[in-house]
Amino acid sequence: MTNVFVKKLTDKSTYKKQIIRLQERLAKNSAEYRAEQENIPFYNIYFDADNISTLLAETIKAEEYRTKPRPITTIKQEEKYRLISAPKLLDRIVQSAISTALLEQKTEKFSENVYSYIPGRSSKKAILDCAKFIRQSLSSANKQNLYLFRTDIKNYTDSIPLGPKSPVWSLLDNHLNKLDPDETLPAYYRNLVHDAAQPTYHTMEEKALFQNLTGLPMGSPLTNFIAILYLQKLDDALASIPGVFYARYGDDIILLSKEAKIILTLYEKAKAILSELKLTMNTEKTGLFYLTFAARPCNNKNFQGCSQFDYLGASITAKGTVKLKTKHFRNLLISIKHRMNNNLSLLKDSPLEDRGKSTAEMLSTLFNKKNFLSDKKLIQHTLLCSDRSQLKQLDYFIALHLAERLTGIRGVKAFRKISYKKMRAEWKLPSLCQLKNKKFMGFE
C-alpha cells in the first residue's frame, strides 16, 4: 500500500489542478503573461499543463525533484524594511499541491473557532458568528453585558522560529504521521515539506545561499497552513471553555464572556502560551472591554466601556448588529455613485424620467446576486451589514445622489423636484434595507 500523502503527490492530476488555479490567480492581476521561470513564460506551462503535470509527478515519484533557491530582495513597507521573495513557478505549483494535500486530509481536526485559510471559513463568517453570540447572550434568560478581550500577534508569521529546536518541525511531522498511520512516509517527502517551510534563498547580487531562522517564507503556499498549525495549542486552550466565544482569523484573536474573571484568566493563559511559542501580543491592538449599549464604564478597572468594537474590517455593536466601518461605508457609496454616474452619462440626451428609471433598474441588477451583471463585492458588503440605521443611511445617500444628478440641484432641495417616494414607488429604486430580506434578489 502507498502512503496517502505520497499517492497525492505522485498523481499528475494534483499538479494540473494547481496549474489551473495559478492561472486563475495570475489572470486577476493580468500577470499570466509576465510570470516566467528561466525565460519560460507561465502561459507555456499552462498550455502544456498535461505534460508538465506528468513530468512533475514522475520526477517526485523518482524522488529526484529538488526545490530551487529563491532570489530575495528588500522593500520598504510602512516605514519598515522587509525581505520579499517568491518561489519559482514549478516550486510554487508543487508547494501549492503540498499545502492542498495537507488541508484536504482532515486527520488533524482544526478548531472550529479558526476562520482563516481553511476551505468554507472566512472573515465574514467570523464576524457573523461573533454578532450571533452577542444576540444570543441578550436573548438568554440570564441576560448580562459581555466582557471582551481582543488582540493580534505582533509580526506573527515573521516571528515564528525556524531553528532546529522550533516547535514547527514536530508539529509538521506529527501532522504528516497522522495522514496515514499505517504507512511510513519516506524521508524524501518529509524533506519536501520542510524545504517549503524553510526555503533556501540567495541574494540578487552575491548569489550567496542562506536560510532564515525566524519567519515563515513570504508568498509560500505552505505559510497559511503552518500559520494555522502553529497556534493549535492556543486554539485548543481558548476554545474549550463553556459559555465563551473564541475566534481567530490569522493573527487576530477575540474572546467574549459574561464573566470578567474568565476573560482575565484566558488573557493570562494566552500570554503564557504565546510566550512559550516565542510570540508576543501587539500592545497597540490589545484591549479589555466592557460591552454595553451606552458604553457604560465598568466597575472592574481592567476593562474599558464600549458600545461597539472593530473586528476584521467591520464594527460589531452591543446589540449584535454589524456595521460597515466608515472607510468601507464611504468606499461602497463611492463605488455605487460611480456606477450611477456612468449610467446617467450614457443617457444624458434622454428624458429625465427615462434616465431615472434606467438608473434604478441598473441598481436593481447590480444587487441581484442571480444576475450575471451583478457586483459581487457590493453584494458581500451589503450582506455583511445588519445595522438597519446604516442601511437606511445608505439608501438615503443613493437616492439623494440620483436626485442631485438628475436635477442639478445640490442637497435635500433636489427632493422637491423629484420626491423620494416617487423614486421608490414609480421608478422602483431598490432599497438595500428591503433587499436584504428578499429571496428573489438572491440575498440570504
Side-chain angles (χ1 to χ4, degrees):
M1 292 288 289
T2 306
N3 182 285
V4 293
F5 187 65
V6 174
K7 190 175 181 181
K8 192 78 176 175
L9 293 189
T10 53
D11 181 355
K12 66 178 184 179
S13 67
T14 297
Y15 303 102
K16 187 168 182 180
K17 288 176 185 176
Q18 297 306 326
I19 291 172
I20 293 169
R21 287 178 185 173
L22 181 54
Q23 190 276 333
E24 290 170 352
R25 289 193 200 104
L26 292 173
K28 288 179 181 178
N29 299 314
S30 303
E32 70 267 43
Y33 294 104
R34 297 196 302 271
E36 61 179 34
Q37 178 170 336
E38 294 165 0
N39 297 320
I40 299 175
F42 172 74
Y43 61 80
N44 282 3
I45 295 174
Y46 176 68
F47 289 123
D48 198 22
D50 284 329
N51 289 330
I52 297 294
S53 301
T54 301
L55 181 63
L56 285 173
E58 289 177 351
T59 308
I60 286 176
K61 188 174 183 178
E63 300 187 1
E64 295 173 354
Y65 186 88
R66 297 291 182 273
T67 304
K68 291 183 177 292
R70 297 162 55 165
I72 196 165
T73 188
T74 305
I75 62 167
K76 189 174 182 181
Q77 189 179 58
E78 296 180 358
E79 303 303 317
K80 307 192 280 193
Y81 286 96
R82 218 173 159 161
L83 295 175
I84 62 165
S85 179
K88 301 286 187 180
L89 285 173
L90 293 183
D91 287 342
R92 186 171 174 181
I93 292 164
V94 170
Q95 289 171 16
S96 294
I98 290 171
S99 180
T100 301
L102 290 171
L103 278 171
E104 282 181 350
Q105 303 295 327
K106 297 179 182 176
T107 56
E108 193 82 42
K109 182 172 173 51
F110 294 113
S111 169
E112 293 179 355
N113 305 78
V114 178
Y115 291 85
S116 51
Y117 313 132
I118 299 174
R121 307 186 196 181
S122 64
S123 59
K124 177 188 170 185
K125 181 167 171 50
I127 292 166
L128 295 178
D129 283 356
C130 182
K132 182 179 179 181
F133 178 84
I134 294 172
R135 292 195 303 274
Q136 288 175 340
S137 298
L138 292 172
S139 63
S140 65
N142 183 23
K143 190 183 296 185
Q144 287 178 250
N145 294 317
L146 292 170
Y147 296 88
L148 162 70
F149 161 58
R150 64 157 306 183
T151 188
D152 73 11
I153 299 166
K154 187 176 181 180
N155 302 325
Y156 175 38
T157 56
D158 290 340
S159 301
I160 293 176
L162 294 175
K165 295 182 179 180
S166 169
V168 163
W169 310 120
S170 59
L171 286 168
L172 280 172
D173 287 343
N174 288 339
H175 186 84
L176 288 167
N177 292 338
K178 289 176 183 177
L179 292 177
D180 192 343
D182 299 326
E183 294 292 330
T184 303
L185 181 68
Y188 170 79
Y189 294 89
R190 201 175 296 274
N191 290 336
L192 267 183
V193 177
H194 286 208
D195 288 345
Q198 189 183 30
T200 300
Y201 300 98
H202 68 77
T203 56
M204 299 294 286
E205 303 83 10
E206 301 173 7
K207 299 284 184 179
L209 300 180
F210 67 95
Q211 288 182 310
N212 285 340
L213 294 179
T214 304
L216 297 179
M218 196 174 174
S220 169
L222 203 62
T223 293
N224 291 346
F225 173 77
I226 297 173
I228 302 170
L229 194 65
Y230 193 67
L231 286 179
Q232 197 166 20
K233 182 175 182 179
L234 179 71
D235 297 330
D236 291 343
L238 300 185
S240 59
I241 313 299
V244 172
F245 177 83
Y246 167 66
R248 177 169 72 87
Y249 185 87
D251 60 357
D252 203 312
I253 294 167
I254 191 167
L255 281 161
L256 285 162
S257 172
K258 293 179 179 180
E259 301 291 335
K261 186 177 179 180
I262 291 176
I263 290 294
L264 291 172
T265 301
L266 294 179
Y267 169 56
E268 294 300 329
K269 182 179 285 190
K271 279 204 299 186
I273 294 173
L274 290 176
S275 177
E276 184 184 327
L277 295 172
K278 311 298 182 189
L279 301 171
T280 57
M281 294 179 190
N282 186 335
T283 54
E284 293 180 3
K285 296 184 179 180
T286 299
L288 293 162
F289 302 95
Y290 180 53
L291 189 63
T292 66
F293 291 172
R296 287 194 289 108
C298 184
N299 293 331
N300 188 322
K301 299 304 179 184
N302 291 301
F303 294 87
Q304 178 184 343
C306 70
S307 59
Q308 64 181 45
F309 59 94
D310 292 342
Y311 183 50
L312 301 177
S315 292
I316 303 177
T317 72
K319 295 179 181 179
T321 59
V322 179
K323 298 172 69 173
L324 300 178
K325 290 178 71 174
T326 303
K327 174 185 173 183
H328 298 306
F329 180 87
R330 189 185 300 119
N331 290 341
L332 178 62
L333 188 58
I334 288 171
S335 181
I336 294 170
K337 285 181 177 180
H338 178 70
R339 297 293 191 96
M340 293 168 69
N341 292 343
N342 286 344
N343 191 76
L344 290 166
S345 295
L346 290 172
L347 300 169
K348 60 183 180 181
D349 297 325
S350 301
L352 184 146
E353 286 275 330
D354 291 346
R355 295 173 72 202
K357 288 178 180 178
S358 173
T359 303
E361 186 178 354
M362 180 274 295
L363 288 173
S364 293
T365 301
L366 201 64
F367 286 97
N368 186 345
K369 194 162 69 172
K370 295 178 180 178
N371 193 304
F372 74 97
L373 293 174
S374 65
D375 189 311
K376 289 180 173 54
K377 284 190 177 180
L378 293 183
I379 291 173
Q380 285 171 3
H381 275 102
T382 309
L383 282 174
L384 184 61
C385 179
S386 60
D387 187 87
R388 290 187 65 82
S389 63
Q390 193 177 56
L391 286 171
K392 285 180 178 180
Q393 189 181 27
L394 193 57
D395 281 342
Y396 174 79
F397 283 137
I398 291 170
L400 178 61
H401 183 71
L402 180 57
E404 287 178 334
R405 284 301 308 270
L406 288 172
T407 63
I409 302 170
R410 299 281 297 180
V412 293
K413 290 181 180 179
F415 286 135
R416 294 178 184 175
K417 193 165 183 180
I418 305 172
S419 72
Y420 189 86
K421 184 177 180 181
K422 178 176 181 175
M423 283 190 278
R424 294 279 180 230
E426 295 181 23
W427 294 357
K428 307 300 181 187
L429 182 68
S431 163
L432 299 183
C433 245
Q434 294 175 6
L435 291 184
K436 269 192 69 86
N437 299 317
K438 288 193 176 182
K439 293 182 179 179
F440 74 88
M441 292 299 292
F443 283 81
E444 296 170 354

